[in-house]
Amino acid sequence: MIALRIVLGLLAGVALVAQLLIGRPQSLTAAFVCGLLMFVVAAGSVAADAIPLRAVALGCSAATLACGLLLALSGFASAPPIAVAALALALQPAPAVVAKLRT
Amino acid sequence: MSDPPRTVRRLRVALVGVSMLCAFLVLLTVAAIVYWRLYLEQPTPGPFERRPYVVRLGPTSAELKWRIDGPVELRAVGPDGGSFTARGGRFDGLEPGVRYGWTAAVGGLTWASGSFRTAPPDPDADVTFGVIGDFGSGTNHEWAVGRVLTSMHPDFLVGAGDNSYLVAAGPLLDRNIFRPLANVLANAPLWTTMGEHDLIWRGGKDVADALDLPGERGRYAMRYGPVQLVVLGLEADSDAVAFARGVLERTTAPVRFVVVHRPVQPGNPILAVLRRYDVSAILAGHLHRYERRVVGGVLEFTVGTGGEGPGNLEFTKASPDALKSLLDFGALRVDVAGGKARSYAFIDERGRVLDRFTP
């Protein structure tokens, strides 16, 4: 679902911008909130890509789900939130790019 | 790829919604389990839901509170063998400046005991008290600091706020205050102020009721013998300044302390008032460090080291003007004698004196 990908991209973008513009530890609050929202939306995205099955998109959604968790826990764990947010952002257009390359 | 039929599309949308809902419920469940395991789960030994603890001490009276479903026989015995029975938790007709041992019997057996010292009338009397802040977490650190406080044999305790994490709601107070500090509270009342975590829940009413604190939102005056405590609440704002001035104008106590949750910063108008009335020190919390500073000519101790811990160090930076700044858990011991604050000692959770200051 494109709408879910857009929402996920926006959340990742907000988290990334927050990491770039706001200093720690305030930026961790943004990472926590964006991470939790990303986790919920990515769960929907996984379901959307599972039926009908679109393997690449499903993989990206599952990876985004993991990124959401990592982002939310980045204040407690050693995961660098800026890298996680960047990865989550890059994952959103990935299925479309892969599809285009195949054609 | 051809578009799937409408029924499949609808099914897919429903599946997406259900998946998102499930993810949300998973987060909610995990949060509830973590909160339950970290904050609520603890057994209750003995007949008392909350063991008796001292809440008030006057020159000739003392008052204890407790929680139990049933009658309690509360008695106190003085050094001369004189025996007193409490009515409604209150002992009257006691001698000033005397330590009494108390027992609380349930069903013919003593289940709790402790002692208290009535306020001494002599302005030069020796008084010892302990200071803790940001403690109400129920962690091993808080329990350790509680044991350190017990070893000080304080006449009373001063709390710098954040008495219960995450919020100071009634059901959490046993875990966060009354069990870790049970032994010291059996011997000394806790006169505390309110921090953000207290005020967020009913304006700190649950803590104030449990500890029988006067005033509102952690702002009140309390006197014990030669010591006058001016307890300001969350911060030294303009109302607090007026309150402090009023109390300090009236008091005849020779030794004065101001208690506030957030440390007073340079330039605060209250500093002129405190200098004028010769306040011995400001006792604060909020910052999860121990710090000794001189702010605007007034000695200030930050003792946010009672058990919650510093967490992310980015939140817990040392004050640039601190004469001493430590991240260790512990409590401050204050000794008053001869109408003056004689010494301050920060004792960590292992019992080591990490800072000692004699004015």
Side-chain angles (χ1 to χ4, degrees), chain A residues 96-103, chain B residues 1:
Chain A
V97 171
V98 170
K100 195 147 198 170
L101 288 175
R102 279 180 179 170
T103 57
Chain B
M1 188 185 283

Side-chain angles (χ1 to χ4, degrees), chain A residues 1 4 23-26 28-29 36-37 39-45 47-54 65 69 75, chain B residues 1-2 4 8-9 11-27 312-317:
Chain A
M1 263 190 191
L4 293 181
R24 282 167 72 106
Q26 288 84 352
L28 293 176
T29 309
L36 289 184
L37 289 172
F39 179 77
V40 171
V41 178
S45 184
D49 294 331
I51 300 171
L53 177 65
R54 289 177 294 177
L65 191 79
L69 269 186
Chain B
M1 188 185 283
S2 60
V8 174
R9 280 208 307 271
L11 201 65
R12 198 165 153 237
V13 169
L15 193 64
V16 167
V18 169
S19 299
M20 289 169 73
L21 186 65
C22 285
F24 179 70
L25 288 175
V26 164
L27 288 178
N312 194 323
L313 295 182
E314 289 166 279
F315 289 110
T316 323
K317 288 179 177 154

Side-chain angles (χ1 to χ4, degrees), chain B residues 19-294:
Chain B
S19 299
M20 289 169 73
L21 186 65
C22 285
F24 179 70
L25 288 175
V26 164
L27 288 178
L28 210 60
T29 308
V30 169
I33 290 170
V34 168
Y35 191 70
W36 181 268
R37 294 294 298 273
L38 285 181
Y39 283 91
L40 299 180
E41 202 175 65
Q42 288 219 335
T44 311
F48 284 102
E49 288 173 44
R50 183 178 294 167
R51 278 169 53 184
Y53 53 100
V54 184
V55 290
R56 291 288 180 94
L57 289 174
T60 60
S61 66
E63 202 170 331
L64 284 81
K65 288 184 86 168
W66 62 86
R67 226 166 55 188
I68 193 173
D69 186 16
V72 176
E73 300 167 50
L74 191 61
R75 293 194 176 83
V77 178
D80 60 354
S83 177
F84 299 82
T85 302
R87 290 185 181 186
R90 184 181 167 91
F91 294 104
D92 283 303
L94 306 172
E95 290 292 319
V98 170
R99 184 162 288 281
Y100 291 84
W102 63 262
T103 54
V106 179
L109 290 175
T110 290
W111 283 93
S113 63
S115 69
F116 55 79
R117 181 181 171 226
T118 49
D122 181 1
D124 292 332
D126 293 1
V127 170
T128 297
F129 65 91
V131 186
I132 46 169
D134 306 80
F135 57 93
S137 55
T139 60
N140 281 341
H141 298 292
E142 185 190 0
W143 283 77
V145 171
R147 293 179 193 111
V148 169
L149 283 166
T150 306
S151 76
M152 293 179 190
H153 298 293
D155 293 303
F156 60 88
L157 299 178
V158 169
D162 278 356
N163 306 285
S164 176
Y165 290 86
L166 292 170
V167 294
L172 300 180
L173 299 188
D174 286 299
R175 178 194 179 278
N176 291 341
I177 301 174
F178 293 105
R179 283 186 202 137
L181 303 182
N183 288 337
V184 68
L185 291 181
N187 302 290
L190 171 59
W191 293 322
T192 190
T193 193
M194 303 292 171
E196 296 87 349
H197 290 271
D198 307 305
L199 294 170
I200 199 170
W201 186 266
R202 302 178 67 215
K205 194 170 183 315
D206 287 8
V207 174
D209 288 349
L211 293 170
D212 202 24
L213 301 176
E216 298 228 336
R217 299 177 71 83
R219 183 168 296 166
Y220 57 92
M222 188 66 77
R223 180 163 179 180
Y224 180 88
V227 177
Q228 176 70 59
L229 296 177
V230 185
V231 187
L232 297 182
L234 184 66
E235 58 189 346
D237 55 16
S238 55
D239 289 345
V241 175
F243 176 78
R245 186 182 287 118
V247 175
L248 291 169
E249 260 172 12
R250 288 192 305 271
T251 188
T252 56
V255 194
R256 299 102 186 254
F257 294 93
V258 162
V259 184
V260 63
H261 179 62
R262 292 181 182 165
V264 175
Q265 300 302 333
N268 191 307
I270 200 168
L271 293 167
V273 177
L274 306 191
R275 282 195 304 269
R276 181 178 170 197
Y277 291 103
D278 197 22
V279 167
S280 298
I282 302 165
L283 307 170
H286 189 57
L287 179 69
H288 291 191
R289 276 181 174 268
Y290 165 76
E291 290 198 334
R292 172 163 54 83
R293 306 160 68 196
V294 176

